[in-house]
Amino acid sequence: MAGGRAKHVGGGTEEARSHALIQPFPGNAAGLKGLMFTVRPSEIEHFDGAELVELLRALLYAEARKAGVPLRNVDVPLQITIADGGQDASVHWENGEASTAYFPGRDIVFQCKATDHGDSQWKKEVWTKQSQSKKVKAKVLNQAISDVLARGGTYIGVTATPLVGTKAEDRATAIRDGIAEAGGDPTKLASVQVYDGNKLSAWATDHPAVALWVKERKAGIPLAAFSTLDRWGKRADIATPPFVPSPERKFSLGSSANDLLDFDQLAGRIVDHLSDPGACVRIWGASGIGKTRALHQALSSNTLRDQVAAQFIFCDHREVTGHIWDVANHLKNAPYAAVLVVDACPWEDSRRLFELASAADSQLRVITLGAEGRDQVDGCLMIRVHPSDRATIKGILGSGLKTTPPDVLDQIAALCDGFPRLAVLAASAGDKGFGVRSSAHDVAEKILKAAGIEHNTIRALECLSLFEYLAPDREPSDFDTLSETLVHMKGELMYEQLVIAAEQHLVDRNHDSMAAQPLPIANYLALRRLRYLRPSTVSAFLTNTSSACRDSMLARWRSLGERSPTLVEVVRSHILGGPLQEVEALLGEKGAPYLAAFVHADPNTMMGVLHSAIIRKSIDELALLDISDALLDSLRLLASRKQTFRPTTGLVLRLAAASDLDADTPVLQLLRRLFQVALAGTEADDRCRRETLDETLEDNDPRMKRACVEALGAMLTTHMTRFGDFEQVGTEPYRSEWLPQDHEVVVSYFSWALERLLDVWRTVLSLRSRIEEIIAADLRTLLGFETAPHYYHLRERSGRR
């Protein structure tokens, strides 16, 4: 860099940095080139069902071409959601070689299971879906196995899971046992085998084009775990969900509150610092806080993107432990400038990389990302990432842990909820098994013990944990009152104890606010404090405190919910004999702050109260109400539960009937979402939705029928979107969102909706035009389904040919 280069804290100038890094990284470097076509089991073991079938398809065609088998004799449909009769792929031929290295015979049926779940899974795989149930004693062979038995062919199970030892043969034995239990003779088959992740990786390695496809699919780079900026951005944990800009997010360069970077300054500051050889950057903060996504987005959206793309080499330390030092040494000694970015890098390994980059004549620059760090380290730019919101953490977990069940993801998200020191405190407790399987009580006790805090400090944390956050200096009188009311402690003493807890990383201090962390400890302490409080005390506090304190307390009920009998009693006292007992208060502005929190705390009581409040009003009276977002949010939460879906959607239909159905109102948006075939945000199945509409269609009020028409139209929707995850109510056991199991269910869903629309079209002349608009909007999609005859019948009856 020329001696006149200007440096600026924060962004720097584009002109000053434009020639900082000019040598492109040779993507086909000799030391890395040889690994392009070597597939490892770990590279395919997390393939989902669709990816596994796609891989099998590529392998079958490659093997067939290599063996001279006509490609028309390979059948691998990719519509895996359609019932396949026990067969995902098949190969058969008559002339030529009798077998190949991976085709043990001329007649083979393949069945895929992305994840191996043991012998029992494979045993029942040869049975029909109906007879797989434990309640069905007589097992029946599926069509695929029956056919291949009759032909004397080969049956091969395929899984991406690597199987060690004799497990692959054990699975094959289980398949034979399943055939025999269903009355078949497995000896009639030429062979029964299971191709696991190990065999699939060896097979893919035998076909360079397939191996390259795997690399591009999962890594897309010469050495599987190293990538450029573009390919790094295609990782699932970065690409999905889409990055949400956060202009207010801050990045600390040191302990001073004034030494901060905005998001749009991040890339410029990093690139400016890396202009000189040997320069190092450490980006640190809690795991899941968004370090990786923030860095990638900053580099991708900056005007320096092209320069960065040519110079930066990205990797994940967990994936390159055996290669990182060879690669780093190679880059250090190479005659070109390069920046090695190492994600999930432990602090000690980060320091070793910094030392390597600082060696004499080194051209290497290093960026590491990890949980640990310090505000100041000589010779290294230290950037501490401020905590992310809970939704961001959950989104990162959901994108990165592809095979993790949703309920486990929820537990992990709770443990990582914006707390940067959770891993450090847990490690100091000496128990590595605290993670997602431990209860909140266990986690709280271990971390409190590790922190070594005293009784008064715990009491202060109990009070703070009742709130999403408190601002002691913003409204001092409110803080003093709540501390004396809820924990019987003077405000100054409580503040002192919270400062002590902050030194142990159990309180997050953000400017003038304080919040208890991490979430498991906050929940544990809040529930313990609620056990010591009378419901009348909490109810009176909510009524008399400031709106800020009230809303901060109510925001915590999502995480406490039905686990607290105190909160349940507060709900009932407020709505049955307290300030919200009147319908106008409950449904109006006065009740809006409480509704969602009350649903989380006592959903069944709230269902009854809201049902009574809305049903007792006529549609004309409902039309005069200003329907709040809070009311609709409460109804959305209640509709997510199967047990309250029907009464809730009945209320939504009634509110929709009272609204302007020609406008895209919030209530109409909710109605449509609840009745679409997927992403509806409820565990209620298609039967529940049909029963709700059947019941409502009996209402003779034309406004109710019009609302039903809009719901039926939503049932035909094929373009569905939803922001956010399927939300659970309070602390109830995890509920799975309903999705149609196969194509047949979707067709049945569409057909039923069309039949009901036709019935309304026949009987309500005023709705004919709207019904025809709805049908026409989805014509192209409907013509691809078996529902098309219903459409033509409707068009014919309406005289529109």
Side-chain angles (χ1 to χ4, degrees):
M1 191 76 187
R5 176 176 58 84
K7 286 191 176 182
H8 299 273
V9 174
T13 64
E14 302 300 335
E15 295 79 13
R17 293 190 301 273
S18 60
H19 300 293
L21 305 171
I22 58 175
Q23 299 294 331
F25 175 66
N28 290 323
L32 307 179
K33 183 177 179 181
L35 293 174
M36 288 182 68
F37 305 116
T38 301
V39 178
R40 295 171 296 189
S42 61
E43 293 174 308
I44 63 174
E45 66 175 319
H46 297 302
F47 271 25
D48 61 25
E51 290 172 323
L52 182 60
V53 172
E54 205 169 346
L55 170 62
L56 179 62
R57 185 173 191 259
L59 287 170
L60 294 183
Y61 279 117
E63 187 75 10
R65 186 179 295 277
K66 180 179 179 181
V69 175
L71 298 185
R72 64 178 178 273
N73 292 359
V74 177
D75 181 24
V76 195
L78 294 182
Q79 293 82 6
I80 63 170
T81 58
I82 299 176
D84 52 32
Q87 171 180 310
D88 283 319
S90 64
V91 177
H92 65 89
W93 73 95
E94 295 180 357
N95 301 315
E97 296 292 332
S99 64
T100 74
Y102 295 97
F103 290 166
R106 289 177 171 169
D107 185 349
I108 311 171
V109 166
F110 295 87
Q111 180 64 45
C112 292
K113 285 293 169 187
T115 304
D116 175 81
H117 291 298
D119 293 348
S120 60
Q121 174 196 37
W122 293 100
K123 181 178 180 180
K124 67 180 183 181
E125 191 57 36
V126 299
W127 303 332
T128 61
K129 295 294 183 183
Q130 294 80 4
S131 67
Q132 288 180 3
S133 172
K134 293 181 179 179
K135 297 179 181 179
V136 179
K137 294 183 178 180
K139 306 303 180 183
V140 180
L141 293 176
N142 61 47
Q143 191 62 48
I145 200 70
S146 296
D147 291 346
V148 76
L149 274 169
R151 300 192 304 267
T154 295
Y155 184 86
I156 297 178
V158 181
T159 178
T161 304
L163 302 175
V164 298
T166 64
K167 287 185 177 180
E169 181 53 38
D170 292 343
R171 305 299 187 261
T173 300
I175 292 172
R176 297 186 188 96
D177 291 344
I179 294 171
E181 187 170 331
D185 183 1
T187 62
K188 291 183 178 180
L189 292 174
S191 177
V192 176
Q193 299 184 38
V194 171
Y195 286 5
D196 69 331
N198 295 311
K199 189 146 188 172
L200 291 178
S201 63
W203 192 0
T205 300
D206 280 356
H207 296 287
V210 180
L212 184 58
W213 176 85
V214 172
K215 296 292 185 180
E216 290 177 346
R217 185 78 175 195
K218 289 301 179 184
I221 25 106
L223 183 61
F226 292 85
S227 64
T228 62
L229 176 68
D230 288 338
R231 294 203 180 276
W232 192 49
K234 293 179 181 179
R235 290 172 58 105
D237 56 336
I238 296 176
T240 310
F243 183 84
V244 178
S246 186
E248 300 301 320
R249 194 172 191 185
K250 302 297 182 182
F251 302 83
S252 296
L253 295 178
S255 56
S256 172
N258 296 321
D259 202 2
L260 299 174
L261 295 177
D262 291 329
F263 180 80
D264 58 3
Q265 297 175 303
L266 181 60
R269 183 68 178 89
I270 290 173
V271 173
D272 186 51
H273 181 79
L274 294 174
S275 299
D276 299 321
C280 300
V281 176
R282 174 69 169 178
I283 301 174
W284 62 286
S287 177
I289 206 171
K291 303 180 297 295
T292 305
R293 289 173 62 84
L295 176 63
H296 177 265
Q297 185 67 20
L299 296 176
S300 298
S301 60
N302 196 275
T303 55
L304 297 170
R305 183 186 181 285
D306 291 340
Q307 178 183 328
V308 168
Q311 305 298 139
F312 283 49
I313 305 165
F314 300 87
C315 66
D316 188 310
H317 186 275
R318 295 164 294 190
E319 300 170 359
V320 297
T321 304
H323 306 288
I324 185 65
W325 305 111
D326 290 339
V327 173
N329 274 292
H330 171 79
L331 296 175
K332 175 180 75 73
N333 298 323
Y336 47 78
V339 179
L340 180 62
V341 182
V342 186
D343 197 8
C345 185
W347 176 239
E348 290 305 316
D349 283 355
S350 183
R351 293 181 62 127
R352 288 179 60 193
L353 285 169
F354 296 162
E355 293 172 1
L356 195 64
S358 301
D361 300 324
S362 170
Q363 293 295 314
L364 175 65
R365 288 89 160 164
V366 173
I367 299 175
T368 65
L369 300 92
E372 298 171 293
R374 300 175 183 174
D375 287 331
Q376 299 292 340
V377 173
D378 292 340
C380 180
L381 178 65
M382 301 294 295
I383 301 177
R384 177 164 54 89
V385 182
H386 286 211
S388 297
D389 59 88
R390 189 180 309 169
T392 300
I393 293 174
K394 191 173 180 181
I396 293 170
L397 288 169
S399 299
L401 304 177
K402 290 289 188 181
T403 60
T404 304
D407 55 336
V408 179
L409 280 178
D410 285 340
Q411 294 181 54
I412 300 174
L415 291 171
C416 297
D417 194 39
F419 181 50
R421 293 291 187 174
L422 178 59
V424 176
L425 286 176
S428 67
D431 185 356
K432 299 184 183 299
F434 84 99
V436 299
R437 304 295 180 187
S438 297
S439 67
H441 172 88
D442 294 335
V443 174
E445 287 298 327
K446 290 170 187 175
I447 296 179
L448 289 172
K449 183 178 180 180
I453 60 175
E454 298 180 350
H455 177 65
N456 279 340
T457 309
I458 291 178
R459 292 179 66 231
L461 277 171
E462 286 176 356
C463 186
L464 180 61
S465 298
L466 293 173
F467 299 87
E468 190 172 44
Y469 69 90
L470 290 175
D473 283 328
R474 195 180 306 166
E475 296 290 343
S477 60
D478 285 344
F479 182 81
D480 293 343
T481 299
L482 70 88
S483 62
E484 293 186 19
T485 302
L486 301 176
V487 80
H488 321 304
M489 185 181 290
K490 292 292 185 180
E492 284 301 322
L493 178 59
M494 178 171 164
Y495 181 80
E496 175 185 330
Q497 297 302 319
L498 292 179
V499 170
I500 293 173
E503 294 173 352
Q504 297 298 325
H505 316 294
L506 293 171
V507 171
D508 174 45
R509 302 185 67 180
N510 184 10
H511 300 293
D512 60 349
S513 69
M514 290 181 162
Q517 62 180 25
L519 185 62
I521 293 179
N523 288 346
Y524 171 68
L525 294 175
L527 289 169
R528 187 161 73 179
R529 174 49 42 186
L530 285 169
R531 287 199 301 270
Y532 303 151
L533 292 170
R534 292 177 298 171
S536 59
T537 300
V538 179
S539 185
F541 175 79
L542 286 171
T543 302
N544 299 320
T545 191
S546 67
S547 60
C549 285
R550 177 202 64 203
D551 293 346
S552 185
M553 174 178 274
L554 290 173
R556 290 283 289 119
W557 289 23
R558 166 65 179 88
S559 300
L560 303 176
E562 288 187 305
R563 286 189 291 175
S564 172
T566 301
L567 296 187
V568 173
E569 288 302 318
V570 170
V571 171
R572 294 174 182 176
S573 66
H574 249 65
I575 62 179
L576 298 180
L580 299 183
Q581 61 180 315
E582 298 297 331
V583 173
E584 284 69 19
L586 180 67
L587 300 182
E589 182 179 344
K590 189 174 183 179
Y594 296 91
L595 294 181
F598 281 11
V599 168
H600 284 302
D602 192 357
N604 292 327
T605 295
M606 287 302 295
M607 178 72 262
V609 170
L610 289 175
H611 188 270
S612 176
I614 294 174
I615 288 296
R616 73 173 63 171
K617 285 187 173 292
S618 68
I619 293 180
D620 290 329
E621 290 173 325
L622 291 174
L624 299 176
L625 286 179
D626 183 12
I627 301 174
S628 67
D629 291 338
L631 176 57
L632 294 181
D633 194 43
S634 302
L635 294 174
R636 175 185 60 82
L637 289 170
L638 290 168
S640 71
R641 307 161 77 233
K642 186 174 183 179
Q643 67 194 91
T644 49
F645 177 83
R646 286 187 62 184
T648 303
T649 48
L651 299 182
V652 175
L653 282 161
R654 194 168 181 81
L655 292 174
S659 67
D660 182 2
L661 288 169
D662 292 323
D664 192 23
T665 60
V667 66
L668 191 54
Q669 293 173 6
L670 175 60
L671 176 66
R672 287 171 177 158
R673 198 190 87 173
L674 291 175
F675 282 93
Q676 62 192 24
V677 69
L679 297 179
T682 178
E683 65 171 336
D685 57 19
D686 53 333
R687 178 180 177 182
C688 289
R689 302 181 211 186
R690 296 175 187 183
E691 290 174 347
T692 300
L693 288 179
D694 270 338
E695 180 179 339
T696 309
L697 281 168
E698 295 178 2
D699 194 311
N700 292 324
D701 192 314
R703 293 169 294 182
M704 291 298 292
K705 289 191 181 296
R706 172 65 193 278
C708 288
V709 165
E710 295 302 321
L712 289 167
M715 293 178 72
L716 301 179
T717 300
T718 57
H719 301 285
M720 291 156 284
T721 59
R722 185 183 75 224
F723 297 101
D725 296 324
F726 173 40
E727 188 173 356
Q728 309 295 304
V729 173
T731 54
E732 292 183 334
Y734 176 78
R735 296 167 291 112
S736 298
E737 182 176 13
W738 182 82
L739 291 171
Q741 295 181 345
D742 50 39
H743 180 76
E744 209 172 289
V745 173
V746 175
V747 170
S748 174
Y749 197 76
F750 287 173
S751 297
W752 187 90
L754 280 168
E755 289 171 359
R756 292 301 179 275
L757 282 172
L758 181 56
D759 290 341
V760 178
W761 182 88
R762 289 179 181 132
T763 57
V764 186
L765 296 179
S766 61
L767 293 179
R768 284 191 171 188
S769 177
R770 178 55 185 153
I771 293 171
E772 290 164 8
E773 287 177 6
I774 290 172
I775 299 297
D778 285 295
L779 169 61
R780 180 173 299 178
T781 301
L782 293 173
L783 291 179
F785 288 87
E786 289 84 340
T787 53
H790 296 290
Y791 170 78
Y792 285 123
H793 181 54
L794 181 61
R795 299 288 285 181
E796 181 179 345
R797 289 293 301 275
S798 64
R800 299 169 183 268
R801 302 183 184 279

